[in-house]
Amino acid sequence: MKTKWTTDPAHSEIFFKVKHMVISTVTGEFTKFQGSVESENDDFTNAKFDFSIDTDSINTKISDRDSHLKSEAFFNTSHYPKITFKSDSGIKNNSITGILTIKEVSKEITLDADFGGIVKDPWNNRRAGFEFSGKLNRKDFGLNWSQVTEAGGLVVSNEVRLLINLEFIAQ
């Protein structure tokens, strides 16, 4: 029997980290997203994951930087309002592989997956928790803006680290 799960946004978060001028790290998040999982078993080995992130919800706590990231130089949020991830392979060997699409560029990506388990909450809902982490090259997805410092380093690194904590509720 298949179980449908949906994200609990109050207990989920999507963060990214990018090196700035080679010397420090900037952390940002997406505050609006939705996801679902369809699973036939409680270990999610054959589950189908489907996520959508609202690009306009990017938040680095600096409004000028957020505006730059929303502009045509990066996400172009008015033209590309969503980032999506789809996986039909489920969780295998503590990882998940799926298709990530940013700015209509789709590439396969593998993330580390830490399945926290399933519990019943005080209201008798079944909940499942996951932590996904990994890296991607932003230029692979058309996020090409770049400048070089006087010392020759990139102002914004090409490598982006992801940390995604998701809690799902069985429907």
Side-chain angles (χ1 to χ4, degrees), residues 34-135:
Q34 49 280 336
S36 64
V37 180
E38 192 174 276
S39 65
E40 293 183 15
N41 52 45
D42 284 351
D43 65 4
F44 294 87
T45 54
N46 292 313
K48 293 182 180 185
F49 288 78
D50 191 355
F51 301 102
S52 177
I53 300 169
D54 180 350
T55 56
D56 200 49
S57 74
I58 197 166
N59 178 13
T60 64
K61 299 181 182 171
I62 304 292
S63 61
D64 286 346
R65 180 171 47 219
D66 294 346
S67 294
H68 188 210
L69 290 169
K70 292 176 185 182
S71 76
E72 290 180 14
F74 280 96
F75 286 103
N76 193 0
T77 61
S78 63
H79 191 70
Y80 304 103
K82 301 286 182 196
I83 295 171
T84 61
F85 176 82
K86 294 180 188 300
S87 173
D88 292 337
S89 62
I91 306 292
K92 296 199 175 36
N93 300 317
N94 297 318
S95 66
I96 186 170
T97 299
I99 302 298
L100 179 67
T101 302
I102 301 174
K103 293 178 73 173
E104 295 182 358
V105 176
S106 298
K107 300 238 181 237
E108 185 175 88
I109 184 172
T110 299
L111 301 172
D112 294 333
D114 181 12
F115 174 42
I118 297 174
V119 298
K120 275 201 176 177
D121 67 18
W123 303 274
N124 213 30
N125 296 305
R126 291 181 67 218
R127 293 177 175 266
F130 297 88
E131 181 175 286
F132 301 104
S133 60
K135 298 175 185 176

Side-chain angles (χ1 to χ4, degrees), residues 158-169:
N158 294 332
E159 181 181 276
V160 178
R161 291 181 288 154
L162 305 172
L163 180 59
I164 303 163
N165 296 301
L166 298 173
E167 188 171 304
F168 292 91
I169 302 172

Side-chain angles (χ1 to χ4, degrees), residues 127-155:
R127 293 177 175 266
F130 297 88
E131 181 175 286
F132 301 104
S133 60
K135 298 175 185 176
L136 61 85
N137 184 324
R138 66 183 176 87
K139 289 193 168 189
D140 288 347
F141 294 92
L143 302 171
N144 295 319
W145 183 88
S146 188
Q147 281 191 321
V148 178
T149 65
E150 287 181 15
L154 291 175
V155 172

